[in-house]
Amino acid sequence: MTTHSGLKKIRLNLARTREFPNGSARHGYEFIAPLDANDHIDAGEWRKHRAQCRVRRFWADEEEDIGHLRHRPGGSWAFHYDIDGDEDDEAGYRFGAHPFRPGEYVSIKDEDGELHTFQVVTVQDL
């Protein structure tokens, strides 16, 4: 018996912006999440593996933020950081509806409420 869901390491790089017309590999996220057969985040599997669903935010020369993928009430997803608590969660815009496949685009609202678009660069089995 095979299971479609498995933990994946997903890398998101900043997509094209005015500031970065070619996007940026120095700005983005790597996170671990279980994906279903349609490459959507699997909430049921996430509940079983939530401790492993980590995120690393890298932003050029800023210090990296390390945290967890959270499934919030109402079904939305967010990145929650494990630091002293001065940063709000960063919300994934409609993460539940987006497939996580290389070439796809997703948006994340940062702690300042700004929406940034990222491209899925890699999705690897853990």
Side-chain angles (χ1 to χ4, degrees):
M1 183 168 129
T2 62
T3 174
H4 291 294
S5 201
L7 290 177
K8 306 287 185 186
K9 183 177 183 180
I10 301 159
R11 183 180 173 107
L12 307 176
N13 284 354
L14 187 65
R16 288 190 301 271
T17 64
R18 258 196 295 288
E19 193 179 350
F20 298 100
N22 297 314
S24 173
R26 297 185 64 221
H27 299 79
Y29 300 85
E30 278 187 349
F31 70 102
I32 295 169
L35 300 182
D36 66 17
N38 295 314
D39 299 320
H40 291 96
I41 299 175
D42 184 324
E45 286 297 307
W46 171 83
R47 278 184 205 89
K48 296 178 198 167
H49 301 285
R50 61 170 41 160
Q52 293 141 283
C53 293
R54 309 283 296 165
V55 60
R56 178 178 71 89
R57 178 187 189 269
F58 53 93
W59 209 258
D61 298 325
E62 291 179 21
E63 190 175 333
E64 289 183 351
D65 286 327
I66 305 294
H68 285 90
L69 176 66
R70 285 188 43 200
H71 196 215
R72 302 197 301 193
S76 67
W77 295 93
F79 296 139
H80 177 76
Y81 298 103
D82 301 339
I83 52 179
D84 296 333
D86 62 340
E87 291 194 37
D88 290 332
D89 288 356
E90 293 183 315
Y93 180 71
R94 299 190 64 222
F95 262 29
H98 283 289
F100 285 86
R101 295 182 195 119
E104 294 285 336
Y105 290 89
V106 297
S107 295
I108 296 171
K109 189 176 285 193
D110 69 18
E111 70 272 9
D112 299 323
E114 284 186 56
L115 199 62
H116 299 278
T117 302
F118 296 85
Q119 186 171 26
V120 179
V121 182
T122 56
V123 178
Q124 301 167 303
D125 290 328
L126 274 191

